[in-house]
Amino acid sequence: MKLTAGERAFQTVNIVVLVLLSLAALYPLVFVLFASFSDPGLLVQNRGLLLLPKGFTTEAYKMVFMNPSIGTAYLNTLFYVFAGTAVNIALSSMAAYGLSRRDVFWKNAIMFMIVFTMFFDGGIIPSYLLVGNLGLLDSRWALIIPGAISAFNLIIMRTAFQAVPVELEESARLDGAGDFRICWSVVFPLSLPVIAVMLLFYGVSHWNSWFSAMIYLQDRALFPLQLILREILISNDTGSMLTSVSSGDQMPIGQTIKYATIIIATIPILCVYPFLQKYFVKGVMIGAIKG
Amino acid sequence: MQRIVKDFRRNKLIYLMLSPAVLYFLIFHYGPMYGMQIAFKDYSIHLGFTGSPWAGLEHFKEFFNNFYFFRIMRNTILLSVYSLLFAFPAGIILALLLNEIRSTWFKRSVQTITYMPHFISLVVVVGIMFDFLARDGLINQLLSALFGFEPVSFMREADWFRFLYIGSGIWQNIGWSSIIFLAAIATIDPSLYEAAKIDGASRWRQTWNVTLPGMAPTIIILLILNIGQLLTVGNEKILLMYNPITYETADVIGTYTYRKGILETDYSYAAAVGMFNAVISFSLLIIANSISRKVSETKLW
């Protein structure tokens, strides 16, 4: 196809704009990555952008990994991510299966009940008091049960399950399979892309969550990584990590410790999402159309 | 009646599978709605939702007469309106730009990279902002080297808050929000473009007369949803970003509710503020939906 001069000029400008946008999206984290490997003394003297680490040391990472409160928080986060996502997927997929069947009398009523909560909710205070009344405050369950199902994700799953051909379900039924069996061995295997997306959505939201932990937890031994990260990054409290460093070096290394913590808290997720890209594009689309 | 019994017999297992979800929504979503009654009461932990004594509209009156009522409402609405004006179109524009790219490889790479910030936690995003925007941070270093500007403590200036909140929001979500618009573009019938080409329409005219109208239903649905969220701005992000110095522009309904309710344990008053928010939001959603229904036939329900 032939392009006019104007169209060719547009193509060039467009590519430049998109490259700049990509750099803008990428660079902040690249800076943090370079800074985390830099020599703290050289880093404080640096002015402006980093195109490579200044010097090279993994000292900051050693300090982070040796720090007991970060270690505990990391393990806590892993627990919340795995246990929380397991509960999310189990409950959402059972409900999505039920809501994707035809000829279920209460289906629409239940669906309405669920969708309504997306547009109207009781608010943070009654929810907080309820969690307290149920005796969940300051327990790991407070981060798992109150968010057990996301209505939005449930709808995405239901829509995907509806796409499974009826004939497969019927032939399984003729072979004597019940609903649990059909859900597990017919619908699930045929919906793996959407399950993968749900694992990503639920998993990421547990990994990144900090607010529920802040209001529901007091005991530092239960804190997830994001809450500790908030203390280090925003309340500027690297003091507890520096006890082993002589006082003169404290300021600069405090800085690289911050960067190293950001990296270890962010990299795991950034390694996962590109592989699921082609699936979540579909997931978002379904959710938007039906939501 | 007979139908119900028969349905239950046949779908026992399905109802069993639905029951955890139904229970969950009843307890954790309808439970708090029931708990909203404390907005009209003087809640005491010992007496619970039901047992606490009635207070009428006391807490609502207190909120409307509050010295900060105007400031909170103004901040909330301005942040919402700004994000509707700047952040919302950003995703549409990116989708349109990506749609013009022929090379699949380039397109995919830009998409993968621009999705990335969406997966970074708010704590990290705001943490990086505090670092880069500090008085001696990266941004001030660049501004002073390039333009000779005096250093500014961006995160401690009320005047900068809105710009930083919206700007960082666009940085984090532009790629992600473009997904849905790209999906909308993909559903447009290719024969419409063929017809436009035969009529001699340029790329620009095709975008204007085919692509944008094709995206309209998606744009309208998202607009309705956004209007329903007008009073619910990103509380979690603001809680991370703000400090008493920036309350003047940063304090919104959600953060105020959090401080009053959770920090100062003034539960009933905070619940009243929260209820005011929920009711207005829901009404706005219904109004937006019914207007759109009349004007464009695109609707949420």
Side-chain angles (χ1 to χ4, degrees), chain B:
Chain B
M1 192 55 208
Q2 218 165 13
R3 233 200 110 180
I4 295 178
V5 174
K6 215 178 129 205
D7 167 71
F8 188 76
R9 272 217 196 103
R10 194 183 44 182
N11 294 322
K12 276 197 300 279
L13 283 177
I14 288 186
Y15 287 118
L16 185 66
M17 292 167 97
L18 282 168
S19 57
V22 170
L23 270 179
Y24 165 76
F25 280 99
L26 280 179
I27 297 173
F28 289 99
H29 290 268
Y30 289 89
M33 285 183 213
Y34 176 75
M36 277 174 128
Q37 60 179 284
I38 64 169
F40 304 101
K41 292 185 164 181
D42 281 320
Y43 181 75
S44 115
I45 298 223
H46 311 289
L47 299 173
F49 288 154
T50 325
S52 299
W54 292 98
L57 295 174
E58 201 57 42
H59 305 297
F60 290 92
K61 278 188 207 143
E62 192 187 335
F63 177 51
F64 298 140
N65 293 324
N66 187 290
F67 179 69
Y68 294 116
F69 175 75
F70 175 72
R71 182 175 91 178
I72 296 165
M73 291 306 290
R74 181 199 60 201
N75 290 342
T76 310
I77 291 170
L78 275 182
L79 285 179
S80 285
V81 169
Y82 286 156
S83 79
L84 217 51
L85 282 180
F86 299 108
F88 185 70
I92 301 179
I93 292 169
L94 177 58
L96 291 174
L97 294 182
L98 282 169
N99 187 45
E100 296 300 320
I101 296 292
R102 307 278 156 74
S103 147
T104 339
W105 171 85
F106 181 69
K107 189 171 162 182
R108 267 190 72 97
S109 310
V110 173
Q111 283 179 280
T112 309
I113 294 170
T114 52
Y115 295 163
M116 190 205 63
H118 175 81
F119 292 96
I120 301 178
S121 77
L122 280 176
V123 173
V124 166
V125 169
V126 177
I128 292 179
M129 288 170 74
F130 268 105
D131 186 73
F132 284 13
L133 295 162
R135 250 189 112 72
D136 56 353
L138 181 62
I139 302 293
N140 272 313
Q141 290 168 19
L142 292 176
L143 289 178
S144 101
L146 295 173
F147 308 106
F149 289 168
E150 289 295 308
V152 182
S153 292
F154 290 103
M155 299 294 274
R156 307 189 135 265
E157 298 267 355
D159 290 342
W160 279 98
F161 179 83
R162 287 182 186 131
F163 175 79
L164 295 175
Y165 175 85
I166 302 286
S168 59
I170 293 177
W171 177 79
Q172 194 173 13
N173 290 314
I174 184 170
W176 189 255
S177 59
S178 75
I179 293 180
I180 193 166
F181 298 116
L182 279 168
I185 293 174
T187 61
I188 297 172
D189 183 356
S191 67
L192 292 174
Y193 289 104
E194 294 304 322
K197 262 181 233 155
I198 292 165
D199 291 346
S202 63
R203 293 288 305 173
W204 171 247
R205 287 236 64 94
Q206 288 174 36
T207 303
W208 195 249
N209 291 334
V210 181
T211 314
L212 274 175
M215 293 165 80
T218 308
I219 295 177
I220 293 170
I221 292 279
L222 289 176
L223 214 52
I224 298 174
L225 286 173
N226 269 296
I227 288 170
Q229 296 287 308
L230 212 58
L231 297 189
T232 317
V233 285
N235 306 325
E236 290 196 16
K237 184 169 166 190
I238 298 175
L239 282 176
L240 291 167
M241 276 181 74
Y242 79 170
N243 54 56
I245 309 169
T246 52
Y247 280 179
E248 182 57 32
T249 51
D251 198 18
V252 295
I253 298 182
T255 50
Y256 182 70
T257 313
Y258 164 77
R259 282 204 314 280
K260 284 291 162 191
I262 313 270
L263 296 183
E264 296 172 24
T265 66
D266 195 348
Y267 297 124
S268 279
Y269 175 67
V273 180
M275 185 168 182
F276 167 77
N277 182 353
V279 169
I280 302 264
S281 299
F282 192 61
S283 317
L284 284 172
L285 185 76
I286 289 175
I287 294 170
N289 189 51
S290 56
I291 291 177
S292 163
R293 220 174 178 161
K294 288 216 180 73
V295 178
S296 69
E297 289 176 4
T298 304
K299 58 191 194 294
L300 215 47
W301 64 81

Side-chain angles (χ1 to χ4, degrees), chain A residues 154-170:
Chain A
L154 173 56
I155 290 168
I156 294 180
M157 270 182 127
R158 181 187 90 121
T159 312
F161 286 180
Q162 276 171 338
V164 173
V166 190
E167 296 78 29
L168 291 175
E169 187 201 323
E170 278 165 359

Side-chain angles (χ1 to χ4, degrees), chain A residues 174-187:
Chain A
L174 285 177
D175 292 343
D179 282 302
F180 278 96
R181 194 61 207 272
I182 292 171
C183 178
W184 182 251
S185 1
V186 178
V187 174

